Amino acid sequence: MKTDDLIKLLGTQVEPVDPRRTLRTVAVAIAAGAVLALVAMLALFGIRADLGAGWTWVSCLIKLAFTLALVIPAGLYLTRIARPGGERRTPALLVVAPFVAIMLIGGVSLAIAPQSHWDEMVMGEHWLACLLSIPIIAIVPFAVIIWGLRRAAPTDLVRAGAFGGLLAGAISASGYALHCMDDSFVFIALWYGGTIALCTLAGALLGPRLLRW
């Protein structure tokens, strides 16, 4: 068979690709990962007992404001990155801004607090549980998100993996915020922001291996 004949044969009966298929696949993976992460958190830790007492719900909302400020843009960017060349339309400013904001707020709150309170503000009572729990829970949404990305066609595998890790870490941190009883801005900046950053780094390292065509 000649080359021209082969080209003509391959070009026959070609069906158009639904451009919304990738969006649906990745969106379903993100939603499923979020639900599974919440279920895992509730099963392992449960909701903090004093959530409805006093102003503790305000502290919980502050944590959720930080984590959801990462979940929403990361999820939107991931649906773009899942398409070939989509990384060109994914500036990182919107996902960097929440990190910068919480670090600035944490720094100011530490500066105006008495030095005798610094240890409690930085370490809290459960820093180790936070350090371990958020990345462990993040494994669940990360696996589901990677499954969704493998059904798409990302071309920048490092960035796709990084955003997958960022999103998984932020989803996990959102669930863990309902359990965590350490509420200082410094704690949120250091242990929530730090563990989410670790998940992002892990995703960037694993992305080329897990998403390879």
Side-chain angles (χ1 to χ4, degrees), residues 34-205:
V35 171
L36 290 174
L38 179 60
V39 170
M41 189 283 298
L42 292 175
L44 292 173
F45 306 112
I47 297 176
R48 59 187 293 179
D50 64 342
L51 185 59
W55 291 92
T56 55
W57 61 273
V58 176
S59 301
C60 186
L61 287 179
I62 292 172
K63 296 173 190 173
L64 290 174
F66 168 61
T67 57
L68 293 179
L70 295 171
V71 168
I72 294 172
L76 292 175
Y77 285 172
L78 203 59
T79 60
R80 297 178 182 177
I81 292 174
R83 305 168 185 172
E87 65 276 359
R88 293 192 294 269
R89 297 180 292 125
T90 54
L93 181 60
L94 286 180
V95 295
V96 173
F99 286 105
V100 175
I102 195 65
M103 285 190 293
L104 289 175
I105 296 172
V108 171
S109 66
L110 192 66
I112 63 178
Q115 191 170 355
S116 58
H117 293 179
W118 284 8
D119 286 346
E120 181 181 355
M121 294 173 67
V122 172
M123 305 304 292
E125 296 182 5
H126 307 96
W127 67 270
L128 183 58
C130 184
L131 177 63
L132 296 176
S133 299
I134 291 177
I136 290 174
I137 297 174
I139 294 173
V140 176
F142 183 70
V144 180
I145 290 169
I146 290 296
W147 170 84
L149 289 174
R150 285 183 61 87
R151 296 174 64 87
T155 50
D156 189 336
L157 304 187
V158 173
R159 185 175 293 192
F163 271 97
L166 170 64
L167 183 56
I171 288 173
S172 175
S174 298
Y176 188 73
L178 301 175
H179 166 78
C180 180
M181 301 182 69
D182 292 304
D183 299 324
S184 78
F185 286 111
V186 184
F187 187 93
I188 298 171
L190 181 59
W191 300 110
Y192 280 66
T195 51
I196 294 172
L198 286 175
C199 292
T200 305
L201 177 60
L205 294 174

